[in-house]
Coordinates of all heavy atoms in Angstrom, one line a residue:
M902 N 50.6 65.6 65.8 CA 49.6 64.7 66.2 C 49.4 64.8 67.7 O 50.4 64.9 68.4 CB 49.9 63.3 65.8 CG 48.8 62.3 66.2 SD 49.1 60.5 65.9 CE 50.2 60.4 64.6
A903 N 48.2 64.7 68.2 CA 47.9 64.7 69.6 C 48.4 63.5 70.3 O 48.4 62.4 69.7 CB 46.4 64.9 69.8
E904 N 48.8 63.6 71.5 CA 49.4 62.5 72.3 C 48.3 61.8 73.1 O 47.5 62.4 73.7 CB 50.4 63.0 73.2 CG 51.3 61.9 73.8 CD 52.4 62.5 74.6 OE1 53.2 63.3 74.1 OE2 52.6 62.1 75.8
V905 N 48.2 60.5 73.0 CA 47.3 59.7 73.8 C 47.5 59.8 75.3 O 48.7 59.8 75.7 CB 47.3 58.2 73.4 CG1 46.4 57.4 74.2 CG2 46.9 58.0 71.9
L906 N 46.5 60.0 76.0 CA 46.6 60.2 77.5 C 46.7 58.8 78.1 O 46.1 57.8 77.6 CB 45.3 60.9 78.0 CG 45.1 62.3 77.5 CD1 43.7 62.8 78.0 CD2 46.2 63.2 77.9
N907 N 47.5 58.7 79.2 CA 47.5 57.5 80.0 C 46.3 57.3 80.8 O 45.5 58.2 81.0 CB 48.8 57.3 80.8 CG 48.9 58.4 81.9 OD1 48.0 58.7 82.6 ND2 50.1 58.9 82.1
E908 N 46.1 56.2 81.5 CA 44.9 55.9 82.2 C 44.7 56.9 83.3 O 43.5 57.3 83.6 CB 45.0 54.4 82.8 CG 43.7 54.0 83.4 CD 42.5 54.0 82.5 OE1 42.6 53.7 81.3 OE2 41.4 54.2 82.9
T909 N 45.7 57.2 84.0 CA 45.6 58.2 85.1 C 45.1 59.6 84.6 O 44.2 60.2 85.2 CB 46.9 58.4 85.9 OG1 47.3 57.1 86.4 CG2 46.8 59.4 87.0
Q910 N 45.7 60.0 83.5 CA 45.3 61.3 82.9 C 43.9 61.2 82.4 O 43.1 62.2 82.6 CB 46.2 61.6 81.7 CG 47.6 61.9 82.1 CD 48.6 62.0 80.9 OE1 48.5 61.1 80.0 NE2 49.5 63.0 80.9
V911 N 43.5 60.1 81.8 CA 42.1 59.9 81.4 C 41.1 60.1 82.5 O 40.1 60.8 82.5 CB 41.9 58.6 80.6 CG1 40.4 58.3 80.4 CG2 42.6 58.6 79.3
Q912 N 41.4 59.4 83.6 CA 40.5 59.4 84.8 C 40.5 60.8 85.4 O 39.4 61.3 85.8 CB 41.0 58.4 85.9 CG 40.8 56.9 85.4 CD 39.4 56.6 84.8 OE1 38.4 57.0 85.4 NE2 39.3 56.0 83.7
E913 N 41.6 61.5 85.5 CA 41.6 62.9 86.0 C 40.7 63.8 85.1 O 39.9 64.6 85.7 CB 43.0 63.5 86.0 CG 43.9 62.8 87.1 CD 45.4 63.2 86.9 OE1 45.7 63.9 85.9 OE2 46.2 62.9 87.8
R914 N 40.8 63.7 83.8 CA 40.0 64.5 82.9 C 38.6 64.1 82.9 O 37.7 65.0 82.8 CB 40.7 64.6 81.6 CG 41.9 65.5 81.5 CD 42.9 65.0 80.5 NE 44.1 65.8 80.6 CZ 45.1 65.5 81.5 NH1 45.0 64.5 82.3 NH2 46.2 66.3 81.4
A915 N 38.3 62.8 83.0 CA 36.9 62.3 83.1 C 36.2 62.9 84.2 O 35.0 63.2 84.1 CB 36.9 60.8 83.1
A916 N 36.9 63.1 85.3 CA 36.2 63.7 86.5 C 35.7 65.1 86.3 O 34.8 65.6 86.9 CB 37.2 63.7 87.7
Q917 N 36.3 65.8 85.3 CA 35.9 67.2 84.9 C 34.7 67.2 84.0 O 34.2 68.3 83.7 CB 37.1 67.9 84.3 CG 38.3 68.0 85.2 CD 39.5 68.5 84.4 OE1 39.5 69.0 83.3 NE2 40.7 68.4 85.1
V918 N 34.3 66.1 83.4 CA 33.2 66.0 82.5 C 32.3 64.9 83.0 O 32.2 63.8 82.4 CB 33.6 65.8 81.0 CG1 34.1 67.1 80.5 CG2 34.6 64.7 80.8
P919 N 31.6 65.1 84.2 CA 30.9 64.0 84.8 C 29.7 63.4 84.0 O 29.3 62.3 84.3 CB 30.4 64.6 86.1 CG 30.4 66.1 85.9 CD 31.5 66.3 84.9
D920 N 29.2 64.1 83.0 CA 28.1 63.6 82.2 C 28.6 62.6 81.1 O 27.8 62.0 80.4 CB 27.4 64.8 81.5 CG 26.6 65.7 82.4 OD1 26.4 65.3 83.6 OD2 26.3 66.8 82.0
W921 N 29.9 62.5 81.0 CA 30.5 61.6 80.0 C 31.0 60.4 80.7 O 31.5 60.4 81.8 CB 31.6 62.4 79.3 CG 31.1 63.5 78.5 CD1 30.8 64.8 78.9 CD2 30.9 63.6 77.1 NE1 30.4 65.6 77.9 CE2 30.4 64.8 76.7 CE3 31.1 62.6 76.1 CZ2 30.2 65.2 75.4 CZ3 30.8 63.0 74.7 CH2 30.4 64.3 74.5
K922 N 31.1 59.2 79.9 CA 31.6 58.0 80.4 C 32.8 57.6 79.5 O 32.7 57.7 78.3 CB 30.6 56.9 80.4 CG 29.5 57.1 81.4 CD 28.4 56.1 81.4 CE 28.6 54.8 80.8 NZ 27.5 53.9 80.9
V923 N 33.8 57.1 80.1 CA 34.9 56.5 79.4 C 34.6 55.1 79.1 O 34.3 54.3 80.0 CB 36.3 56.6 80.1 CG1 37.4 55.9 79.4 CG2 36.6 58.1 80.4
E924 N 34.6 54.7 77.8 CA 34.3 53.3 77.4 C 35.5 52.9 76.4 O 35.5 53.3 75.2 CB 33.0 53.2 76.6 CG 31.8 53.5 77.6 CD 30.5 53.3 76.9 OE1 30.4 52.9 75.7 OE2 29.5 53.6 77.6
G925 N 36.4 52.2 77.0 CA 37.6 51.8 76.2 C 38.4 53.1 75.8 O 38.8 53.8 76.6
K926 N 38.5 53.2 74.5 CA 39.3 54.4 73.9 C 38.3 55.5 73.5 O 38.7 56.3 72.6 CB 40.1 53.9 72.7 CG 41.2 52.9 73.1 CD 42.0 52.5 71.9 CE 43.1 51.6 72.3 NZ 44.0 51.3 71.2
Q927 N 37.1 55.5 74.0 CA 36.1 56.5 73.7 C 35.6 57.2 74.9 O 35.5 56.6 76.0 CB 35.0 55.9 72.8 CG 35.4 55.4 71.5 CD 34.2 55.0 70.7 OE1 33.2 54.6 71.2 NE2 34.3 55.1 69.4
L928 N 35.1 58.4 74.7 CA 34.4 59.2 75.6 C 33.0 59.3 75.1 O 32.8 59.7 73.9 CB 35.0 60.6 75.8 CG 34.7 61.5 76.9 CD1 35.0 60.8 78.2 CD2 35.6 62.7 76.8
K929 N 32.0 58.9 75.9 CA 30.6 58.8 75.3 C 29.6 59.5 76.3 O 29.8 59.5 77.5 CB 30.1 57.4 75.2 CG 30.7 56.7 74.0 CD 30.0 55.4 73.8 CE 30.5 54.7 72.5 NZ 29.8 53.5 72.2
Q930 N 28.5 60.0 75.6 CA 27.4 60.6 76.3 C 26.2 60.3 75.5 O 26.2 60.4 74.3 CB 27.6 62.1 76.5 CG 26.4 62.7 77.4 CD 26.6 64.1 77.6 OE1 27.0 64.9 76.7 NE2 26.4 64.6 78.8
V931 N 25.1 59.9 76.2 CA 23.8 59.8 75.6 C 22.9 60.9 76.2 O 22.8 61.0 77.4 CB 23.2 58.4 75.9 CG1 21.8 58.3 75.3 CG2 24.1 57.3 75.4
I932 N 22.3 61.7 75.3 CA 21.5 62.8 75.7 C 20.0 62.5 75.2 O 19.9 62.3 74.0 CB 22.0 64.1 75.2 CG1 23.5 64.3 75.6 CG2 21.2 65.3 75.8 CD1 24.2 65.4 74.8
K933 N 19.1 62.6 76.1 CA 17.7 62.4 75.7 C 17.0 63.8 75.6 O 17.1 64.6 76.5 CB 17.0 61.5 76.7 CG 15.6 61.0 76.3 CD 15.1 60.0 77.2 CE 13.8 59.5 76.7 NZ 13.3 58.4 77.6
F934 N 16.2 64.0 74.5 CA 15.5 65.2 74.3 C 14.0 65.0 74.2 O 13.6 63.8 74.2 CB 16.0 65.9 73.0 CG 17.4 66.3 73.0 CD1 18.4 65.4 72.6 CD2 17.8 67.5 73.4 CE1 19.8 65.7 72.6 CE2 19.1 67.9 73.5 CZ 20.1 67.0 73.1
K935 N 13.2 66.0 74.2 CA 11.8 65.8 74.3 C 11.2 65.2 73.0 O 10.2 64.5 73.0 CB 11.0 67.2 74.5 CG 11.1 68.2 73.4 CD 10.3 69.4 73.8 CE 10.5 70.4 72.6 NZ 9.5 71.4 72.5
D936 N 11.9 65.4 71.8 CA 11.5 64.8 70.6 C 12.6 64.9 69.5 O 13.7 65.4 69.8 CB 10.2 65.5 70.1 CG 10.4 67.1 69.9 OD1 11.5 67.5 69.6 OD2 9.4 67.8 69.9
F937 N 12.3 64.4 68.4 CA 13.3 64.3 67.3 C 13.8 65.7 66.9 O 15.0 65.9 66.6 CB 12.6 63.6 66.1 CG 13.6 63.5 64.9 CD1 14.6 62.6 64.9 CD2 13.4 64.3 63.8 CE1 15.5 62.5 63.8 CE2 14.2 64.2 62.7 CZ 15.3 63.3 62.7
V938 N 12.9 66.7 66.8 CA 13.2 68.0 66.4 C 14.2 68.6 67.4 O 15.3 69.2 67.0 CB 12.0 68.9 66.2 CG1 12.4 70.4 65.9 CG2 11.1 68.4 65.1
A939 N 14.0 68.5 68.6 CA 14.9 69.0 69.7 C 16.3 68.3 69.6 O 17.3 69.0 69.7 CB 14.3 68.8 71.0
A940 N 16.3 67.0 69.3 CA 17.5 66.3 69.1 C 18.3 66.8 67.9 O 19.5 67.0 68.0 CB 17.2 64.8 69.0
M941 N 17.6 67.0 66.8 CA 18.3 67.5 65.6 C 18.8 68.9 65.8 O 19.9 69.3 65.3 CB 17.4 67.4 64.4 CG 17.1 66.0 64.0 SD 18.5 65.0 63.7 CE 19.3 65.9 62.3
D942 N 18.0 69.8 66.5 CA 18.5 71.1 66.8 C 19.8 71.1 67.6 O 20.7 71.8 67.3 CB 17.5 71.9 67.6 CG 16.3 72.3 66.8 OD1 16.4 72.4 65.6 OD2 15.2 72.7 67.4
F943 N 19.9 70.2 68.6 CA 21.1 70.0 69.3 C 22.3 69.6 68.4 O 23.4 70.2 68.5 CB 21.0 69.1 70.5 CG 22.2 68.8 71.2 CD1 22.7 69.8 72.1 CD2 22.9 67.6 71.1 CE1 23.9 69.5 72.8 CE2 24.1 67.4 71.7 CZ 24.6 68.4 72.6
V944 N 22.1 68.6 67.6 CA 23.1 68.1 66.7 C 23.6 69.2 65.8 O 24.8 69.3 65.6 CB 22.6 66.9 65.9 CG1 23.6 66.5 64.8 CG2 22.4 65.7 66.8
N945 N 22.7 70.0 65.3 CA 23.1 71.1 64.5 C 24.0 72.1 65.2 O 24.9 72.8 64.6 CB 21.9 71.8 63.8 CG 21.3 71.0 62.8 OD1 22.0 70.2 62.1 ND2 20.0 71.1 62.6
K946 N 23.8 72.3 66.5 CA 24.7 73.2 67.3 C 26.1 72.7 67.4 O 27.0 73.4 67.8 CB 24.1 73.3 68.7 CG 22.8 74.1 68.8 CD 22.4 74.2 70.2 CE 21.0 74.8 70.4 NZ 20.5 74.7 71.8
L947 N 26.3 71.4 67.1 CA 27.6 70.8 67.3 C 28.5 71.1 66.1 O 29.8 71.0 66.2 CB 27.5 69.3 67.4 CG 26.8 68.7 68.5 CD1 26.7 67.2 68.5 CD2 27.3 69.2 69.9
V948 N 27.9 71.5 65.0 CA 28.7 71.7 63.7 C 29.8 72.8 63.9 O 31.0 72.5 63.6 CB 27.8 72.0 62.5 CG1 28.6 72.4 61.3 CG2 26.8 70.9 62.3
E949 N 29.4 73.9 64.3 CA 30.4 75.0 64.4 C 31.6 74.8 65.3 O 32.7 74.9 64.9 CB 29.7 76.3 64.8 CG 29.8 77.4 63.7 CD 29.1 78.7 64.1 OE1 29.7 79.4 64.9 OE2 28.0 78.9 63.6
P950 N 31.3 74.3 66.6 CA 32.5 74.1 67.4 C 33.4 72.9 66.9 O 34.6 73.0 67.0 CB 31.8 73.7 68.8 CG 30.4 74.0 68.7 CD 30.1 74.2 67.3
A951 N 32.7 71.9 66.3 CA 33.5 70.8 65.8 C 34.4 71.2 64.6 O 35.6 70.9 64.6 CB 32.6 69.6 65.4
E952 N 33.8 72.0 63.8 CA 34.6 72.5 62.6 C 35.7 73.4 63.1 O 36.8 73.3 62.6 CB 33.7 73.3 61.7 CG 32.9 72.4 60.7 CD 33.8 71.6 59.8 OE1 34.5 72.3 59.0 OE2 33.7 70.4 59.8
A953 N 35.4 74.3 64.0 CA 36.4 75.3 64.5 C 37.6 74.5 65.2 O 38.7 74.9 65.0 CB 35.8 76.2 65.5
A954 N 37.3 73.4 65.9 CA 38.3 72.6 66.6 C 39.0 71.7 65.6 O 40.1 71.1 66.0 CB 37.7 71.9 67.8
G955 N 38.4 71.4 64.5 CA 38.9 70.4 63.6 C 38.9 69.0 64.2 O 39.7 68.1 64.0
H956 N 37.9 68.8 65.1 CA 37.7 67.6 65.8 C 36.2 67.2 65.8 O 35.4 67.9 66.4 CB 38.2 67.7 67.2 CG 38.4 66.5 68.0 ND1 39.2 65.4 67.5 CD2 37.9 66.0 69.1 CE1 39.2 64.4 68.4 NE2 38.4 64.8 69.4
H957 N 35.9 66.1 65.1 CA 34.5 65.8 64.9 C 34.0 64.6 65.6 O 34.6 63.5 65.5 CB 34.3 65.6 63.4 CG 34.7 66.8 62.6 ND1 36.0 66.9 62.1 CD2 34.1 68.0 62.3 CE1 36.2 68.1 61.5 NE2 35.0 68.8 61.6
P958 N 32.9 64.7 66.4 CA 32.4 63.6 67.1 C 31.7 62.6 66.2 O 31.2 63.0 65.2 CB 31.4 64.2 68.1 CG 31.0 65.4 67.4 CD 32.1 65.9 66.6
D959 N 31.6 61.3 66.6 CA 30.7 60.4 66.0 C 29.4 60.6 66.7 O 29.3 60.6 67.9 CB 31.3 58.9 66.2 CG 32.6 58.7 65.5 OD1 32.7 59.3 64.4 OD2 33.4 57.9 66.0
I960 N 28.4 60.6 65.9 CA 27.0 60.9 66.4 C 26.0 59.9 65.9 O 26.0 59.6 64.7 CB 26.6 62.3 65.9 CG1 27.5 63.4 66.4 CG2 25.1 62.6 66.4 CD1 27.3 64.8 65.7
A961 N 25.2 59.4 66.8 CA 24.1 58.5 66.4 C 22.8 59.1 67.0 O 22.8 59.5 68.1 CB 24.4 57.1 67.0
I962 N 21.8 59.1 66.1 CA 20.5 59.7 66.5 C 19.5 58.6 66.4 O 19.3 57.9 65.4 CB 20.2 60.8 65.6 CG1 21.3 61.9 65.6 CG2 18.8 61.5 66.0 CD1 21.2 62.9 64.4
S963 N 18.7 58.4 67.5 CA 17.6 57.5 67.5 C 16.4 58.3 68.1 O 16.3 58.4 69.3 CB 18.0 56.3 68.4 OG 16.9 55.4 68.4
Y964 N 15.6 58.8 67.2 CA 14.4 59.6 67.5 C 14.8 60.8 68.5 O 15.3 61.8 68.0 CB 13.3 58.8 68.1 CG 12.1 59.7 68.4 CD1 11.4 60.4 67.4 CD2 11.6 59.9 69.7 CE1 10.3 61.2 67.6 CE2 10.5 60.7 69.9 CZ 9.9 61.4 68.9 OH 8.8 62.2 69.2
N965 N 14.7 60.6 69.8 CA 15.0 61.7 70.7 C 16.2 61.5 71.5 O 16.5 62.3 72.4 CB 13.8 61.9 71.7 CG 13.6 60.8 72.6 OD1 14.0 59.7 72.4 ND2 13.0 61.1 73.8
K966 N 17.0 60.5 71.1 CA 18.3 60.2 71.8 C 19.5 60.5 70.9 O 19.5 60.0 69.7 CB 18.4 58.8 72.3 CG 17.6 58.5 73.6 CD 18.0 57.2 74.2 CE 17.6 56.1 73.3 NZ 17.8 54.8 74.0
V967 N 20.4 61.2 71.4 CA 21.7 61.5 70.6 C 22.8 60.9 71.4 O 23.0 61.2 72.6 CB 21.9 63.0 70.5 CG1 23.2 63.3 69.7 CG2 20.7 63.6 69.7
T968 N 23.6 60.0 70.8 CA 24.7 59.4 71.4 C 26.0 60.0 70.7 O 26.1 60.0 69.5 CB 24.8 57.9 71.2 OG1 23.6 57.3 71.7 CG2 26.0 57.2 71.8
I969 N 26.8 60.6 71.5 CA 28.0 61.3 71.0 C 29.2 60.5 71.5 O 29.3 60.2 72.7 CB 28.1 62.7 71.5 CG1 26.9 63.5 71.1 CG2 29.4 63.4 71.0 CD1 26.7 64.8 71.9
S970 N 30.1 60.1 70.6 CA 31.4 59.4 70.9 C 32.5 60.3 70.4 O 32.5 60.7 69.3 CB 31.4 58.1 70.2 OG 30.3 57.3 70.6
L971 N 33.5 60.4 71.3 CA 34.7 61.1 71.0 C 35.9 60.3 71.2 O 36.1 59.5 72.1 CB 34.9 62.3 71.9 CG 33.8 63.4 71.8 CD1 33.9 64.4 73.0 CD2 34.1 64.2 70.5
T972 N 36.8 60.3 70.2 CA 38.1 59.7 70.3 C 39.0 60.4 69.2 O 38.5 60.9 68.3 CB 38.1 58.2 70.0 OG1 39.3 57.6 70.4 CG2 37.7 57.8 68.6
T973 N 40.3 60.4 69.4 CA 41.2 60.9 68.4 C 41.7 59.8 67.6 O 42.6 59.1 68.0 CB 42.3 61.7 69.1 OG1 41.8 62.7 70.0 CG2 43.2 62.4 68.1
H974 N 41.0 59.6 66.4 CA 41.3 58.4 65.6 C 42.7 58.3 65.2 O 43.3 57.3 65.2 CB 40.4 58.4 64.3 CG 38.9 58.3 64.7 ND1 38.3 57.1 65.1 CD2 37.9 59.2 64.7 CE1 37.1 57.3 65.3 NE2 36.8 58.5 65.1
D975 N 43.3 59.5 64.7 CA 44.7 59.4 64.2 C 45.7 59.1 65.3 O 46.8 58.7 65.0 CB 45.1 60.6 63.4 CG 44.9 61.9 64.1 OD1 44.4 61.9 65.3 OD2 45.3 63.0 63.6
A976 N 45.4 59.4 66.6 CA 46.3 59.1 67.7 C 46.0 57.7 68.3 O 46.8 57.2 69.0 CB 46.1 60.1 68.8
G977 N 44.8 57.2 68.0 CA 44.5 55.8 68.5 C 44.0 55.8 69.9 O 44.1 54.7 70.6
G978 N 43.4 56.9 70.4 CA 42.8 56.8 71.7 C 42.4 58.2 72.2 O 42.2 59.1 71.3
L979 N 42.2 58.4 73.5 CA 41.7 59.6 74.0 C 42.9 60.6 74.2 O 44.0 60.2 74.7 CB 41.1 59.4 75.4 CG 39.7 58.7 75.3 CD1 39.2 58.2 76.6 CD2 38.7 59.6 74.6
T980 N 42.7 61.8 73.8 CA 43.6 62.9 73.9 C 43.0 64.1 74.6 O 41.8 64.1 74.8 CB 44.2 63.3 72.6 OG1 43.2 63.9 71.8 CG2 44.8 62.1 71.8
E981 N 43.8 65.2 74.8 CA 43.2 66.4 75.3 C 42.1 67.0 74.4 O 41.1 67.6 74.9 CB 44.3 67.5 75.4 CG 45.4 67.2 76.5 CD 44.9 67.3 77.9 OE1 43.8 67.8 78.2 OE2 45.7 66.9 78.8
K982 N 42.2 66.7 73.1 CA 41.2 67.2 72.2 C 39.8 66.7 72.5 O 38.8 67.4 72.4 CB 41.6 66.9 70.7 CG 42.8 67.6 70.2 CD 43.3 67.0 68.9 CE 42.4 67.3 67.8 NZ 43.0 66.9 66.5
D983 N 39.8 65.4 72.9 CA 38.5 64.8 73.2 C 37.8 65.4 74.4 O 36.6 65.7 74.4 CB 38.7 63.3 73.4 CG 39.3 62.6 72.2 OD1 38.6 62.7 71.1 OD2 40.3 62.0 72.3
F984 N 38.6 65.7 75.5 CA 38.1 66.2 76.7 C 37.7 67.7 76.5 O 36.7 68.2 77.0 CB 39.0 66.0 77.9 CG 39.0 64.6 78.3 CD1 40.0 63.7 77.8 CD2 38.1 64.1 79.1 CE1 40.0 62.4 78.1 CE2 38.1 62.7 79.5 CZ 39.0 61.9 79.0
A985 N 38.5 68.4 75.7 CA 38.1 69.8 75.4 C 36.8 69.9 74.6 O 35.9 70.7 74.9 CB 39.2 70.5 74.6
M986 N 36.6 69.0 73.6 CA 35.4 68.9 72.8 C 34.2 68.5 73.7 O 33.1 69.0 73.6 CB 35.5 68.0 71.6 CG 34.3 67.9 70.7 SD 33.8 69.5 70.1 CE 35.2 70.0 69.1
A987 N 34.4 67.6 74.6 CA 33.4 67.2 75.6 C 32.9 68.3 76.4 O 31.7 68.5 76.6 CB 33.9 66.0 76.5
K988 N 33.8 69.2 76.9 CA 33.4 70.4 77.6 C 32.6 71.3 76.8 O 31.6 71.9 77.2 CB 34.7 71.1 78.2 CG 35.3 70.3 79.3 CD 36.5 71.0 79.8 CE 37.2 70.3 80.9 NZ 38.5 70.9 81.4
Q989 N 33.0 71.5 75.5 CA 32.3 72.4 74.6 C 30.9 71.9 74.4 O 29.9 72.6 74.4 CB 33.0 72.5 73.3 CG 34.1 73.6 73.3 CD 34.4 74.0 71.9 OE1 35.0 73.2 71.2 NE2 34.1 75.2 71.5
I990 N 30.8 70.6 74.1 CA 29.5 70.0 73.8 C 28.6 70.1 75.0 O 27.4 70.4 74.9 CB 29.6 68.5 73.3 CG1 30.3 68.5 72.0 CG2 28.3 67.8 73.3 CD1 30.7 67.1 71.5
S991 N 29.1 69.8 76.2 CA 28.3 69.9 77.4 C 27.8 71.3 77.7 O 26.7 71.5 78.2 CB 29.1 69.5 78.6 OG 29.4 68.1 78.6
S992 N 28.5 72.3 77.2 CA 28.1 73.7 77.4 C 26.9 74.1 76.5 O 26.3 75.1 76.7 CB 29.3 74.7 77.2 OG 29.6 74.8 75.9
L993 N 26.7 73.3 75.4 CA 25.6 73.6 74.5 C 24.3 73.1 74.9 O 23.3 73.5 74.3 CB 26.0 72.9 73.1 CG 27.3 73.4 72.4 CD1 27.5 72.6 71.2 CD2 27.2 74.9 72.1
K994 N 24.2 72.2 75.9 CA 22.9 71.7 76.3 C 22.0 72.7 76.9 O 22.4 73.6 77.5 CB 23.1 70.5 77.2 CG 23.7 69.3 76.5 CD 23.7 68.1 77.4 CE 24.7 68.2 78.5 NZ 24.7 67.0 79.4

């Protein structure tokens, strides 16, 4: 099981993914697209990397806005896996 990061570690890693915000035990990003189709295209791009990593984000879609939340549920907080996935997702935009 992945080890939960302490507050200092979380802040250090958060600085490496500036488009993401730490909210409690989650790493979140809201991305706005030109329309629903573009938002769905982006969400579909997340499938392969999430499956490959065995780490799946929580995703909420509201027309042209996609909210992505990352946390390692079985560890009970933020781990290296969350920040690695955030970097991968950021590279897909």
Side-chain angles (χ1 to χ4, degrees):
M902 180 187 333
E904 192 172 311
V905 175
L906 300 172
N907 66 39
E908 188 60 33
T909 301
Q910 293 169 317
V911 166
Q912 293 309 315
E913 288 170 354
R914 283 150 186 84
Q917 299 171 12
V918 287
D920 294 342
W921 294 79
K922 289 177 22 179
V923 175
E924 293 184 5
K926 294 182 178 186
Q927 294 188 333
L928 194 55
K929 286 190 173 184
Q930 182 179 44
V931 178
I932 309 166
K933 191 172 183 178
F934 296 90
K935 67 177 181 160
D936 57 27
F937 179 75
V938 173
M941 292 305 298
D942 285 344
F943 175 75
V944 169
N945 287 329
K946 289 180 190 174
L947 301 179
V948 174
E949 241 179 79
E952 279 295 302
H956 194 57
H957 305 94
D959 292 327
I960 302 168
I962 304 163
S963 179
Y964 182 62
N965 67 335
K966 280 195 298 190
V967 177
T968 302
I969 304 166
S970 302
L971 294 165
T972 191
T973 305
H974 296 285
D975 58 353
L979 291 168
T980 67
E981 293 288 353
K982 293 169 73 170
D983 300 302
F984 289 93
M986 182 57 61
K988 286 178 184 177
Q989 274 198 290
I990 291 170
S991 291
S992 75
L993 297 174
K994 293 190 285 182

